[in-house]
Amino acid sequence: MELYFLGTGAGMPSKERNVTAVALTLYDERGTMWLFDCGEGTQHQILRSPLKASRLEFIFITHLHGDHVYGLPGLLTSRSNQGGTTPLTLFGPPGLEAMLEPVLRYSQAHLSYELLYREVGEGVVFQDDRFEIQCSKLDHRIDSYGYRIVEKDKPGKLDAAKLHTQGIPPGPLFGKIKRGETVALPDGTVIDGKSFIGPPVPGKKIVILGDTRKCEAAVSLSSDADVLVHEATFDSSLDELAQMYYHSTAKDAAQTAKRAGAKSLILTHISSRYQEDEAARLLSEAQQLFPATWIAKDHWSFSIS
């Protein structure tokens, strides 16, 4: 499981940063990837990355500002040309389908796959046997959401050493024991398979927020997250500007991560005023409050081990 940052800029592209898009690769877990936001030029960024648009399963849109959605028409049509045939689901705020469908219709876009829309609101927006995705509304000029991806706990590992001490050799019985079944051994001894399985392995929790001012909803959604991806459009000297435009400073992001008990924080959505080494100010500001902070740049990845 890995986060791959395709665009890390705010508002408009710059020479160093394209606008917002981040992929969560789930190749080992389900052979797919999920995309969070799709700013203009995202399909170009994918071409310059190891990612494949044909692997896309879900796209989650945080809000409908252009720097988060203008890349959708191009990416959706390119996915057809690149061999994408499996269904693709778009999750997003009310208005996403109404905004996108006329563009696809009037441009006579041909999609070789089924495109599905799922309108999000507060609460659980997706769940299967491996993942649950929760959604909360944040504090922005328009409806903006954050997504919490929760990997469900995995079964504990089979304690082969304990089986060996009981004189149980490797073989077909191991499979039944690993499933926690009650098993009768050749000598007539009956054992409970559950007693040979370790504790469940906790699943990962990843939180990706849309644009927002500092707010309680962000803290609650990010509770105990393994990774929190948070916008940091400005440094704290521009706090009034951040408040005016409903954005966060790097200090705001660090305070949210600290209050939420997150394990790591990644800053993104960086204003174009922070060119070259200027972005280091944002990182330093956040690390003073929350040391386990990184600042994303385009084509940078973060492994969630």
Side-chain angles (χ1 to χ4, degrees):
M1 191 183 297
E2 183 179 77
L3 288 167
Y4 189 98
F5 289 83
L6 293 158
T8 57
M12 61 182 183
S14 67
K15 292 181 179 180
E16 292 186 4
R17 299 177 184 274
N18 198 50
V19 284
T20 300
V22 56
L24 176 63
T25 61
L26 300 164
Y27 297 148
D28 291 338
E29 290 78 10
R30 57 200 295 141
T32 64
M33 74 174 183
W34 298 347
L35 185 66
F36 293 81
D37 284 334
C38 185
E40 180 184 356
T42 295
Q43 65 171 322
H44 296 275
Q45 296 291 82
I46 290 177
L47 288 173
R48 300 184 182 98
S49 79
L51 308 177
K52 301 293 183 184
S54 59
R55 293 280 196 98
L56 268 173
E57 180 185 17
F58 299 149
I59 298 177
F60 297 89
I61 299 300
T62 62
H63 64 295
L64 300 184
H65 277 153
D67 57 326
H68 296 255
V69 298
Y70 283 170
L72 280 172
L75 177 61
L76 294 177
T77 52
S78 291
R79 184 175 186 262
S80 287
N81 298 329
Q82 295 169 9
T85 58
T86 55
L88 174 62
T89 303
L90 289 182
F91 295 80
L96 177 60
E97 182 176 2
M99 180 197 74
L100 188 58
E101 277 300 317
V103 177
L104 298 175
R105 183 170 66 252
Y106 287 121
S107 65
Q108 298 186 23
H110 171 70
L111 303 184
S112 59
Y113 54 88
E114 184 180 13
L115 181 62
L116 305 169
Y117 293 91
R118 191 170 296 182
E119 191 173 287
V120 303
E122 298 276 349
V124 176
V125 297
F126 173 79
Q127 186 171 16
D128 64 10
D129 61 340
R130 295 296 303 275
F131 291 93
E132 180 179 284
I133 302 175
Q134 303 159 12
C135 197
S136 290
K137 186 183 289 187
L138 306 172
D139 184 13
H140 194 47
R141 289 191 295 122
I142 64 173
D143 286 357
S144 180
Y145 291 87
Y147 293 96
R148 177 182 174 91
I149 305 98
V150 180
E151 181 188 29
K152 295 184 179 179
D153 293 349
K154 301 173 185 176
K157 294 182 178 180
L158 185 67
D159 191 339
K162 185 177 179 181
L163 286 168
H164 179 72
T165 61
Q166 296 288 322
I168 305 170
L173 289 178
F174 268 36
K176 293 183 178 181
I177 296 171
K178 190 173 183 179
R179 292 191 293 271
E181 298 178 12
T182 299
V183 174
L185 302 179
D187 64 1
T189 304
V190 177
I191 63 171
D192 181 0
K194 295 185 181 68
S195 63
F196 293 89
I197 299 173
V201 180
K204 298 300 181 184
K205 296 180 282 292
I206 303 116
V207 176
I208 301 175
L209 303 183
D211 292 2
T212 185
R213 293 194 293 199
K214 187 170 62 173
C215 63
E216 289 301 315
V219 175
S220 178
L221 193 68
S222 305
S223 175
D224 196 32
D226 291 282
V227 185
L228 168 61
V229 179
H230 198 301
E231 71 134 294
T233 309
F234 303 109
D235 69 83
S236 58
S237 70
L238 297 175
D239 182 68
E240 289 187 9
L241 195 63
Q243 290 292 314
M244 182 185 305
Y245 289 103
Y246 289 78
H247 283 296
S248 294
T249 66
K251 182 178 179 180
D252 291 335
Q255 288 174 337
T256 295
K258 187 173 182 178
R259 289 187 58 204
K263 296 179 177 64
S264 55
L265 169 66
I266 300 176
L267 306 178
T268 188
H269 200 268
I270 309 302
S271 168
S272 59
R273 71 185 64 217
Y274 302 100
Q275 294 293 312
E276 298 179 351
D277 295 337
E278 287 295 305
R281 292 212 318 267
L282 301 175
L283 179 61
S284 176
E285 181 175 284
Q287 286 180 333
Q288 290 178 28
L289 284 172
F290 193 82
T293 301
W294 288 261
I295 188 165
K297 58 183 180 180
D298 289 13
H299 299 290
W300 176 77
S301 62
F302 184 89
S303 178
I304 306 166
S305 59

